[in-house]
Amino acid sequence: MSVDSFRFLLGDQLSHGVSSLAGLDPERDVVLMAEVVEECTYVGHHPKKIAFILSAMRHFAAELSERGVRVDYVKLDDPDNSGSFTGELERAVRRHAPAKIVVTEPGEYRVLAEMETWSDRLGVPVEIRGDDRFFCSRRDFARWAEGRKAPRMEHFYREMRKKTGFLMEPDGKPVGDRWNYDPENRKRLPKDVSPPEPKGFEPDEITREVLDLVASRFGHHFGDLEPFWFAVTAAQAERAFSHFVKTALARFGDYQDAMAQDRDTLFHSVIGLYLNAGLLDPVKVCRRVERAYRDGTAPINAVEGYIRQILGWREFVRGIYWLKMPDYAESNALEAYRPLPAFYWSGETDMNCLSQSIGQTKRQAYAHHIQRLMVTGNFALLAGIAPKEVCAWYLAVYADAYEWVELPNTHGMALHADGGYLGSKPYAASGKYIQRMSDYCAHCRYDVKETLGETACPFNALYWNFLLEQQARLQDNPRMAMPYRNLARMEPARIEAIRQQAERFLRGLEPAEAEAW
Ligand SMILES: Cc1cc2nc3c(=O)[nH]c(=O)nc-3n(C[C@H](O)[C@H](O)[C@H](O)COP(=O)(O)OP(=O)(O)OC[C@H]3O[C@@H](n4cnc5c(N)ncnc54)[C@H](O)[C@@H]3O)c2cc1C
Ligand code: SF4
């Protein structure tokens, strides 16, 4: 039977309001959804992440069917499944002969490039609609960034506050007369404060079937599939978010940068995976969080800090991604070429901060921002790991990772591989930072106060060695003036000993095998 149009829906477009579904006629149009192996394996995604996306897709398809929409759903284990988006569209065009195909632009440049070939390859007109599930369109971001040598998140964020009215007074001033409460948001977790657990859900029949499938097809990828506790529908994601607002939001700000032994989520919301797949709407999330401030149930440092992540950072990195791709991914401003160490795929290292951050990534497909930036990211920066290898790791291991958000955060923010386009200075830090923000060092075989010797914390020598190696590139950066002043005060003999210590450590790193997942 021929149909008017196909609405082709990707696994991170699970929103009933997504642009590709606008104007859908249930009598004449068909929604096509396909689980394809190519998307599960172009990097070796964490099994929990694959299970989350496949289960959420199946639940979304069931909701559409309940609403009377005709859904053509191709499962991963369908014997005729071609394994790629293009292959599935070719087969579906043969099945339904649609007059046109409607899609929402994807979250990855790679997929957009593929989409742009579809019209010619399939012989059917393809309409690619913008993704309006963001506060700032690609075009508006490009307009804002035009003429700026180095766009900065803080400037963009203030514009977004004014544009949307979040946390603004009627006279146009920011609530509390300050735009940013970050200085209040750097506390360590005290011993007597117990963070709540995020809301989890028992797998239902659909999820169980997906878990069996993922175990048999992708069980060898890095990461633990079970226990599986993620929300897989919008209703469940709303409950998980509500639980965060009730139990954690008020202290989100205070402990936003804290890390603690065996505490995976602290006061973070663990909703990135739901937002990015379309199960939660960022507008509603920010409204709900602002209401908590207006109701007096959460303080301004928590609420401003939280809204900044979504209205500021999330939108900003997306804008940068689409503005700068595809060249962005190719830059390597610090000329970092070392292979990814094997312990990124096992967590087996004596460095406790790394083993904690990677160990929980393996268990949960989750680590919070400071673990990603200041532990695994900082190590990769200081050790000069090749950006492409680091980015592939981050894209694979986190349940919320899609290239539009992962790449600017990893390549730009954590690795400074874009030469400072996204962030004004590298987030390089010695062990002192990790000691200040966590109790990891108290459980580590290394001594964070030492720089030289067998038991010295490796981050310390690596930090000074990084400053030395990158001196020509970084010493004129005004935000690096203090570290370079400290370096200038160091005795030449100590500098030489640090260099040798760092070199010995780096030589001892075992590289990961190709496709080690
Ligand atoms: C090296 C590195 C890689 C990262 N990769 C990803 C990724 O693949 N996907 C991803 O969604 N986030 C990524 N982030 C950003 C951030 O770490 C995660 O969004 C956050 O940890 C998700 O956990 P949460 O939902 O508990 O967030 P919370 O701490 O509770 O924050 C709330 C929400 O704010 C948004 N947010 C916070 N920080 C950022 C940021 N820097 N960029 C974009 N959104 C942000 C997220 O949607 C998040 O869910 C990365 C950060 C770094 C440093
Ligand atoms: S001593 Fe160094 S390696 Fe060990 S946990 Fe602290 S910062 Fe990490």
Side-chain angles (χ1 to χ4, degrees), residues 19-73:
S19 60
S20 59
L21 295 183
L24 176 138
D25 179 345
E27 301 292 318
R28 310 175 64 87
D29 300 326
V30 167
V31 171
L32 175 71
M33 297 176 77
E35 301 172 356
V36 297
V37 73
E38 201 169 84
E39 294 304 309
C40 302
T41 55
Y42 73 99
V43 292
H45 296 289
H46 197 297
K48 262 197 178 71
K49 175 184 187 182
I50 301 177
F52 162 64
I53 295 171
L54 299 189
S55 178
M57 283 175 72
R58 291 184 186 193
H59 282 90
F60 190 79
E63 286 174 18
L64 286 174
S65 300
E66 277 162 25
R67 293 175 180 207
V69 174
R70 282 194 289 162
V71 182
D72 184 346
Y73 194 97

Side-chain angles (χ1 to χ4, degrees), residues 358-436:
I358 297 169
Q360 76 163 71
T361 298
K362 181 168 179 291
R363 277 184 282 111
Q364 308 285 26
Y366 178 85
H368 69 69
H369 186 73
I370 295 300
Q371 294 172 304
R372 298 187 206 196
L373 183 64
M374 300 309 294
V375 180
T376 41
N378 185 27
F379 183 87
L381 170 74
L382 300 184
I385 314 293
K388 275 196 191 285
E389 296 203 22
V390 184
C391 289
W393 183 81
Y394 276 93
L395 189 58
V397 302
Y398 292 113
D400 54 34
Y402 300 86
E403 199 181 68
W404 65 266
V405 55
E406 174 276 323
L407 189 81
N409 270 299
T410 310
H411 193 85
M413 196 187 312
L415 300 180
H416 207 70
D418 62 359
Y421 186 73
L422 183 139
S424 55
K425 78 175 191 63
Y427 282 89
S430 68
K432 207 189 274 176
Y433 175 87
I434 294 172
Q435 183 196 27
R436 193 166 65 240

